[in-house]
Amino acid sequence: MLSALIVVLLNSSGAGPTPAKLQKYKLDYQERMHHVHMDFSSTRTAFRQKNITVGLGYEYHVDRQFNGVSVEVLGQKIGRLLFRGDQFWWVGAGIGWWPIRTVKVFMQVGALFDDIGTATQGRVGVGYNLRLFMLAVMPYVYFQTTDGARGSDSEFRGFTWAIGARIQY
């Protein structure tokens, strides 16, 4: 929808891409397989706090005719805005399954670091890939659980969740 609106605006100004160029953008994105991405989300913790999450990662995506698989590495900073309050760092990797070209079901495992120590986290989630020329925006939601090594007073104890968006090239 957003892509169609931008194409309409570009066409009205006389600078729009031709249908052949739009098809080429789509094929180039699918065949590139190497994608760099930035994540922006809000992570809800056990104490009902909202933490801003910013991440940077790399994904290798094998696209088939109707579906695909992907492997990714990701690093994130989780905490209050402008480094106020507790800050956490997450480093991990994951796999993804694309049952159709625009829907991603993923699983990630990683380490959560802060000034107290480390913990292990596991995540499962789903996202929808919206393509815009050679870029993609993927709104997503995931649920995560943290091991019990941090104790019962940890912000990330039990199940927590995040909702956000990934900008991918």
Side-chain angles (χ1 to χ4, degrees), residues 125-152:
V126 63
Y128 186 80
N129 206 358
L130 303 165
R131 301 231 172 95
L132 181 63
F133 304 119
M134 292 294 285
L135 294 176
V137 177
M138 184 175 68
Y140 63 84
V141 62
Y142 63 76
F143 299 92
Q144 62 189 6
T145 185
T146 306
D147 69 359
R150 302 183 69 87
S152 62

PDB file of all heavy atoms in Angstrom, residues 125-152:
ATOM      1  N   GLY A 125       8.755 -15.496  17.323  1.00  0.00           N
ATOM      2  CA  GLY A 125       7.953 -14.378  16.850  1.00  0.00           C
ATOM      3  C   GLY A 125       7.519 -14.536  15.407  1.00  0.00           C
ATOM      4  O   GLY A 125       7.848 -15.513  14.737  1.00  0.00           O
ATOM      5  N   VAL A 126       6.790 -13.523  14.956  1.00  0.00           N
ATOM      6  CA  VAL A 126       6.293 -13.500  13.587  1.00  0.00           C
ATOM      7  C   VAL A 126       6.363 -12.060  13.077  1.00  0.00           C
ATOM      8  O   VAL A 126       6.201 -11.111  13.851  1.00  0.00           O
ATOM      9  CB  VAL A 126       4.849 -14.060  13.508  1.00  0.00           C
ATOM     10  CG1 VAL A 126       3.872 -13.216  14.295  1.00  0.00           C
ATOM     11  CG2 VAL A 126       4.402 -14.222  12.074  1.00  0.00           C
ATOM     12  N   GLY A 127       6.646 -11.912  11.788  1.00  0.00           N
ATOM     13  CA  GLY A 127       6.716 -10.591  11.164  1.00  0.00           C
ATOM     14  C   GLY A 127       6.157 -10.625   9.758  1.00  0.00           C
ATOM     15  O   GLY A 127       6.037 -11.688   9.146  1.00  0.00           O
ATOM     16  N   TYR A 128       5.820  -9.445   9.247  1.00  0.00           N
ATOM     17  CA  TYR A 128       5.278  -9.315   7.897  1.00  0.00           C
ATOM     18  C   TYR A 128       6.149  -8.332   7.128  1.00  0.00           C
ATOM     19  O   TYR A 128       6.321  -7.188   7.541  1.00  0.00           O
ATOM     20  CB  TYR A 128       3.823  -8.826   7.933  1.00  0.00           C
ATOM     21  CG  TYR A 128       3.172  -8.816   6.578  1.00  0.00           C
ATOM     22  CD1 TYR A 128       2.677  -9.990   6.040  1.00  0.00           C
ATOM     23  CD2 TYR A 128       3.080  -7.651   5.841  1.00  0.00           C
ATOM     24  CE1 TYR A 128       2.083 -10.003   4.778  1.00  0.00           C
ATOM     25  CE2 TYR A 128       2.488  -7.645   4.586  1.00  0.00           C
ATOM     26  CZ  TYR A 128       1.994  -8.822   4.063  1.00  0.00           C
ATOM     27  OH  TYR A 128       1.419  -8.825   2.825  1.00  0.00           O
ATOM     28  N   ASN A 129       6.711  -8.761   6.013  1.00  0.00           N
ATOM     29  CA  ASN A 129       7.668  -7.991   5.243  1.00  0.00           C
ATOM     30  C   ASN A 129       6.962  -7.123   4.195  1.00  0.00           C
ATOM     31  O   ASN A 129       6.318  -7.647   3.288  1.00  0.00           O
ATOM     32  CB  ASN A 129       8.645  -8.950   4.560  1.00  0.00           C
ATOM     33  CG  ASN A 129       9.974  -8.333   4.267  1.00  0.00           C
ATOM     34  OD1 ASN A 129      10.200  -7.167   4.537  1.00  0.00           O
ATOM     35  ND2 ASN A 129      10.867  -9.132   3.726  1.00  0.00           N
ATOM     36  N   LEU A 130       7.083  -5.804   4.308  1.00  0.00           N
ATOM     37  CA  LEU A 130       6.514  -4.860   3.342  1.00  0.00           C
ATOM     38  C   LEU A 130       7.662  -4.301   2.514  1.00  0.00           C
ATOM     39  O   LEU A 130       8.557  -3.647   3.049  1.00  0.00           O
ATOM     40  CB  LEU A 130       5.801  -3.719   4.073  1.00  0.00           C
ATOM     41  CG  LEU A 130       4.689  -4.140   5.021  1.00  0.00           C
ATOM     42  CD1 LEU A 130       4.322  -3.000   5.942  1.00  0.00           C
ATOM     43  CD2 LEU A 130       3.493  -4.591   4.225  1.00  0.00           C
ATOM     44  N   ARG A 131       7.654  -4.542   1.217  1.00  0.00           N
ATOM     45  CA  ARG A 131       8.755  -4.108   0.361  1.00  0.00           C
ATOM     46  C   ARG A 131       8.499  -2.722  -0.197  1.00  0.00           C
ATOM     47  O   ARG A 131       7.393  -2.385  -0.606  1.00  0.00           O
ATOM     48  CB  ARG A 131       8.935  -5.093  -0.776  1.00  0.00           C
ATOM     49  CG  ARG A 131       9.229  -6.471  -0.248  1.00  0.00           C
ATOM     50  CD  ARG A 131      10.429  -7.094  -0.882  1.00  0.00           C
ATOM     51  NE  ARG A 131      10.767  -8.325  -0.206  1.00  0.00           N
ATOM     52  CZ  ARG A 131      10.372  -9.517  -0.602  1.00  0.00           C
ATOM     53  NH1 ARG A 131       9.645  -9.646  -1.676  1.00  0.00           N
ATOM     54  NH2 ARG A 131      10.730 -10.584   0.070  1.00  0.00           N
ATOM     55  N   LEU A 132       9.550  -1.925  -0.235  1.00  0.00           N
ATOM     56  CA  LEU A 132       9.506  -0.568  -0.761  1.00  0.00           C
ATOM     57  C   LEU A 132      10.752  -0.393  -1.627  1.00  0.00           C
ATOM     58  O   LEU A 132      11.813  -0.080  -1.109  1.00  0.00           O
ATOM     59  CB  LEU A 132       9.468   0.445   0.378  1.00  0.00           C
ATOM     60  CG  LEU A 132       9.398   1.906   0.007  1.00  0.00           C
ATOM     61  CD1 LEU A 132       8.094   2.198  -0.734  1.00  0.00           C
ATOM     62  CD2 LEU A 132       9.492   2.773   1.243  1.00  0.00           C
ATOM     63  N   PHE A 133      10.630  -0.672  -2.914  1.00  0.00           N
ATOM     64  CA  PHE A 133      11.744  -0.665  -3.860  1.00  0.00           C
ATOM     65  C   PHE A 133      12.808  -1.650  -3.384  1.00  0.00           C
ATOM     66  O   PHE A 133      12.547  -2.829  -3.331  1.00  0.00           O
ATOM     67  CB  PHE A 133      12.286   0.743  -4.075  1.00  0.00           C
ATOM     68  CG  PHE A 133      11.226   1.714  -4.540  1.00  0.00           C
ATOM     69  CD1 PHE A 133      10.894   2.824  -3.782  1.00  0.00           C
ATOM     70  CD2 PHE A 133      10.523   1.491  -5.707  1.00  0.00           C
ATOM     71  CE1 PHE A 133       9.904   3.695  -4.197  1.00  0.00           C
ATOM     72  CE2 PHE A 133       9.523   2.355  -6.126  1.00  0.00           C
ATOM     73  CZ  PHE A 133       9.218   3.469  -5.367  1.00  0.00           C
ATOM     74  N   MET A 134      14.007  -1.193  -3.012  1.00  0.00           N
ATOM     75  CA  MET A 134      15.066  -2.108  -2.573  1.00  0.00           C
ATOM     76  C   MET A 134      15.134  -2.241  -1.051  1.00  0.00           C
ATOM     77  O   MET A 134      16.028  -2.890  -0.529  1.00  0.00           O
ATOM     78  CB  MET A 134      16.415  -1.629  -3.105  1.00  0.00           C
ATOM     79  CG  MET A 134      16.547  -1.742  -4.610  1.00  0.00           C
ATOM     80  SD  MET A 134      16.554  -3.437  -5.186  1.00  0.00           S
ATOM     81  CE  MET A 134      18.195  -3.918  -4.720  1.00  0.00           C
ATOM     82  N   LEU A 135      14.209  -1.626  -0.345  1.00  0.00           N
ATOM     83  CA  LEU A 135      14.150  -1.720   1.114  1.00  0.00           C
ATOM     84  C   LEU A 135      12.939  -2.552   1.522  1.00  0.00           C
ATOM     85  O   LEU A 135      12.018  -2.735   0.749  1.00  0.00           O
ATOM     86  CB  LEU A 135      14.023  -0.335   1.745  1.00  0.00           C
ATOM     87  CG  LEU A 135      15.193   0.614   1.598  1.00  0.00           C
ATOM     88  CD1 LEU A 135      14.844   1.963   2.211  1.00  0.00           C
ATOM     89  CD2 LEU A 135      16.430   0.054   2.275  1.00  0.00           C
ATOM     90  N   ALA A 136      12.948  -2.994   2.755  1.00  0.00           N
ATOM     91  CA  ALA A 136      11.785  -3.677   3.315  1.00  0.00           C
ATOM     92  C   ALA A 136      11.591  -3.186   4.745  1.00  0.00           C
ATOM     93  O   ALA A 136      12.562  -2.903   5.452  1.00  0.00           O
ATOM     94  CB  ALA A 136      11.986  -5.179   3.305  1.00  0.00           C
ATOM     95  N   VAL A 137      10.352  -3.064   5.140  1.00  0.00           N
ATOM     96  CA  VAL A 137       9.996  -2.742   6.514  1.00  0.00           C
ATOM     97  C   VAL A 137       9.189  -3.921   7.022  1.00  0.00           C
ATOM     98  O   VAL A 137       8.227  -4.337   6.382  1.00  0.00           O
ATOM     99  CB  VAL A 137       9.175  -1.442   6.601  1.00  0.00           C
ATOM    100  CG1 VAL A 137       8.749  -1.175   8.025  1.00  0.00           C
ATOM    101  CG2 VAL A 137       9.965  -0.276   6.036  1.00  0.00           C
ATOM    102  N   MET A 138       9.609  -4.478   8.166  1.00  0.00           N
ATOM    103  CA  MET A 138       8.929  -5.647   8.705  1.00  0.00           C
ATOM    104  C   MET A 138       8.431  -5.369  10.121  1.00  0.00           C
ATOM    105  O   MET A 138       9.208  -5.400  11.072  1.00  0.00           O
ATOM    106  CB  MET A 138       9.852  -6.866   8.725  1.00  0.00           C
ATOM    107  CG  MET A 138       9.132  -8.120   9.185  1.00  0.00           C
ATOM    108  SD  MET A 138      10.125  -9.627   9.106  1.00  0.00           S
ATOM    109  CE  MET A 138      11.324  -9.332  10.372  1.00  0.00           C
ATOM    110  N   PRO A 139       7.127  -5.071  10.280  1.00  0.00           N
ATOM    111  CA  PRO A 139       6.575  -5.036  11.633  1.00  0.00           C
ATOM    112  C   PRO A 139       6.587  -6.452  12.207  1.00  0.00           C
ATOM    113  O   PRO A 139       6.337  -7.414  11.479  1.00  0.00           O
ATOM    114  CB  PRO A 139       5.146  -4.539  11.446  1.00  0.00           C
ATOM    115  CG  PRO A 139       5.000  -4.185  10.020  1.00  0.00           C
ATOM    116  CD  PRO A 139       6.145  -4.740   9.279  1.00  0.00           C
ATOM    117  N   TYR A 140       6.902  -6.579  13.498  1.00  0.00           N
ATOM    118  CA  TYR A 140       6.977  -7.907  14.102  1.00  0.00           C
ATOM    119  C   TYR A 140       6.558  -7.860  15.567  1.00  0.00           C
ATOM    120  O   TYR A 140       6.500  -6.801  16.189  1.00  0.00           O
ATOM    121  CB  TYR A 140       8.391  -8.486  13.981  1.00  0.00           C
ATOM    122  CG  TYR A 140       9.452  -7.692  14.707  1.00  0.00           C
ATOM    123  CD1 TYR A 140       9.691  -7.881  16.058  1.00  0.00           C
ATOM    124  CD2 TYR A 140      10.222  -6.750  14.025  1.00  0.00           C
ATOM    125  CE1 TYR A 140      10.657  -7.147  16.713  1.00  0.00           C
ATOM    126  CE2 TYR A 140      11.187  -6.019  14.675  1.00  0.00           C
ATOM    127  CZ  TYR A 140      11.404  -6.221  16.025  1.00  0.00           C
ATOM    128  OH  TYR A 140      12.352  -5.485  16.676  1.00  0.00           O
ATOM    129  N   VAL A 141       6.294  -9.022  16.099  1.00  0.00           N
ATOM    130  CA  VAL A 141       6.053  -9.211  17.523  1.00  0.00           C
ATOM    131  C   VAL A 141       6.754 -10.497  17.929  1.00  0.00           C
ATOM    132  O   VAL A 141       6.795 -11.453  17.151  1.00  0.00           O
ATOM    133  CB  VAL A 141       4.540  -9.254  17.865  1.00  0.00           C
ATOM    134  CG1 VAL A 141       3.856 -10.410  17.186  1.00  0.00           C
ATOM    135  CG2 VAL A 141       4.315  -9.287  19.365  1.00  0.00           C
ATOM    136  N   TYR A 142       7.378 -10.502  19.110  1.00  0.00           N
ATOM    137  CA  TYR A 142       7.956 -11.747  19.607  1.00  0.00           C
ATOM    138  C   TYR A 142       7.750 -11.860  21.113  1.00  0.00           C
ATOM    139  O   TYR A 142       7.534 -10.871  21.805  1.00  0.00           O
ATOM    140  CB  TYR A 142       9.439 -11.906  19.243  1.00  0.00           C
ATOM    141  CG  TYR A 142      10.385 -10.882  19.807  1.00  0.00           C
ATOM    142  CD1 TYR A 142      10.779 -10.907  21.140  1.00  0.00           C
ATOM    143  CD2 TYR A 142      10.945  -9.904  18.994  1.00  0.00           C
ATOM    144  CE1 TYR A 142      11.673  -9.978  21.644  1.00  0.00           C
ATOM    145  CE2 TYR A 142      11.835  -8.982  19.478  1.00  0.00           C
ATOM    146  CZ  TYR A 142      12.196  -9.027  20.811  1.00  0.00           C
ATOM    147  OH  TYR A 142      13.081  -8.104  21.304  1.00  0.00           O
ATOM    148  N   PHE A 143       7.769 -13.101  21.568  1.00  0.00           N
ATOM    149  CA  PHE A 143       7.683 -13.430  22.984  1.00  0.00           C
ATOM    150  C   PHE A 143       9.012 -14.047  23.374  1.00  0.00           C
ATOM    151  O   PHE A 143       9.601 -14.792  22.602  1.00  0.00           O
ATOM    152  CB  PHE A 143       6.524 -14.400  23.237  1.00  0.00           C
ATOM    153  CG  PHE A 143       5.204 -13.820  22.850  1.00  0.00           C
ATOM    154  CD1 PHE A 143       4.688 -14.023  21.586  1.00  0.00           C
ATOM    155  CD2 PHE A 143       4.492 -13.043  23.749  1.00  0.00           C
ATOM    156  CE1 PHE A 143       3.476 -13.469  21.210  1.00  0.00           C
ATOM    157  CE2 PHE A 143       3.285 -12.481  23.385  1.00  0.00           C
ATOM    158  CZ  PHE A 143       2.772 -12.692  22.118  1.00  0.00           C
ATOM    159  N   GLN A 144       9.472 -13.741  24.578  1.00  0.00           N
ATOM    160  CA  GLN A 144      10.770 -14.254  25.004  1.00  0.00           C
ATOM    161  C   GLN A 144      10.700 -14.723  26.445  1.00  0.00           C
ATOM    162  O   GLN A 144       9.856 -14.281  27.213  1.00  0.00           O
ATOM    163  CB  GLN A 144      11.853 -13.188  24.852  1.00  0.00           C
ATOM    164  CG  GLN A 144      11.643 -11.953  25.698  1.00  0.00           C
ATOM    165  CD  GLN A 144      12.611 -10.847  25.344  1.00  0.00           C
ATOM    166  OE1 GLN A 144      13.378 -10.940  24.405  1.00  0.00           O
ATOM    167  NE2 GLN A 144      12.586  -9.775  26.120  1.00  0.00           N
ATOM    168  N   THR A 145      11.594 -15.621  26.788  1.00  0.00           N
ATOM    169  CA  THR A 145      11.724 -16.082  28.157  1.00  0.00           C
ATOM    170  C   THR A 145      13.200 -16.054  28.528  1.00  0.00           C
ATOM    171  O   THR A 145      14.073 -16.242  27.684  1.00  0.00           O
ATOM    172  CB  THR A 145      11.128 -17.492  28.342  1.00  0.00           C
ATOM    173  OG1 THR A 145      11.187 -17.837  29.723  1.00  0.00           O
ATOM    174  CG2 THR A 145      11.844 -18.526  27.509  1.00  0.00           C
ATOM    175  N   THR A 146      13.457 -15.784  29.793  1.00  0.00           N
ATOM    176  CA  THR A 146      14.821 -15.675  30.303  1.00  0.00           C
ATOM    177  C   THR A 146      15.040 -16.773  31.334  1.00  0.00           C
ATOM    178  O   THR A 146      14.132 -17.079  32.111  1.00  0.00           O
ATOM    179  CB  THR A 146      15.034 -14.297  30.959  1.00  0.00           C
ATOM    180  OG1 THR A 146      14.664 -13.295  30.016  1.00  0.00           O
ATOM    181  CG2 THR A 146      16.477 -14.086  31.366  1.00  0.00           C
ATOM    182  N   ASP A 147      16.248 -17.338  31.352  1.00  0.00           N
ATOM    183  CA  ASP A 147      16.538 -18.382  32.333  1.00  0.00           C
ATOM    184  C   ASP A 147      16.467 -17.816  33.750  1.00  0.00           C
ATOM    185  O   ASP A 147      16.451 -16.609  33.959  1.00  0.00           O
ATOM    186  CB  ASP A 147      17.895 -19.031  32.058  1.00  0.00           C
ATOM    187  CG  ASP A 147      19.078 -18.111  32.326  1.00  0.00           C
ATOM    188  OD1 ASP A 147      18.859 -16.948  32.707  1.00  0.00           O
ATOM    189  OD2 ASP A 147      20.212 -18.552  32.155  1.00  0.00           O
ATOM    190  N   GLY A 148      16.439 -18.671  34.736  1.00  0.00           N
ATOM    191  CA  GLY A 148      16.274 -18.251  36.126  1.00  0.00           C
ATOM    192  C   GLY A 148      17.535 -17.799  36.817  1.00  0.00           C
ATOM    193  O   GLY A 148      17.526 -17.554  38.024  1.00  0.00           O
ATOM    194  N   ALA A 149      18.651 -17.658  36.101  1.00  0.00           N
ATOM    195  CA  ALA A 149      19.919 -17.311  36.737  1.00  0.00           C
ATOM    196  C   ALA A 149      19.928 -15.900  37.320  1.00  0.00           C
ATOM    197  O   ALA A 149      20.734 -15.591  38.178  1.00  0.00           O
ATOM    198  CB  ALA A 149      21.068 -17.450  35.731  1.00  0.00           C
ATOM    199  N   ARG A 150      19.028 -15.034  36.898  1.00  0.00           N
ATOM    200  CA  ARG A 150      19.034 -13.648  37.345  1.00  0.00           C
ATOM    201  C   ARG A 150      18.215 -13.434  38.618  1.00  0.00           C
ATOM    202  O   ARG A 150      18.190 -12.350  39.159  1.00  0.00           O
ATOM    203  CB  ARG A 150      18.531 -12.744  36.239  1.00  0.00           C
ATOM    204  CG  ARG A 150      19.373 -12.885  34.989  1.00  0.00           C
ATOM    205  CD  ARG A 150      18.907 -11.949  33.937  1.00  0.00           C
ATOM    206  NE  ARG A 150      19.187 -10.579  34.283  1.00  0.00           N
ATOM    207  CZ  ARG A 150      20.317  -9.940  34.033  1.00  0.00           C
ATOM    208  NH1 ARG A 150      21.277 -10.577  33.427  1.00  0.00           N
ATOM    209  NH2 ARG A 150      20.483  -8.692  34.368  1.00  0.00           N
ATOM    210  N   GLY A 151      17.487 -14.427  39.082  1.00  0.00           N
ATOM    211  CA  GLY A 151      16.698 -14.295  40.303  1.00  0.00           C
ATOM    212  C   GLY A 151      15.293 -13.792  40.029  1.00  0.00           C
ATOM    213  O   GLY A 151      14.950 -13.380  38.934  1.00  0.00           O
ATOM    214  N   SER A 152      14.473 -13.793  41.069  1.00  0.00           N
ATOM    215  CA  SER A 152      13.059 -13.447  40.905  1.00  0.00           C
ATOM    216  C   SER A 152      12.814 -11.952  40.804  1.00  0.00           C
ATOM    217  O   SER A 152      11.715 -11.535  40.474  1.00  0.00           O
ATOM    218  CB  SER A 152      12.258 -14.025  42.069  1.00  0.00           C
ATOM    219  OG  SER A 152      12.701 -13.445  43.276  1.00  0.00           O
TER     220      SER A 152
END
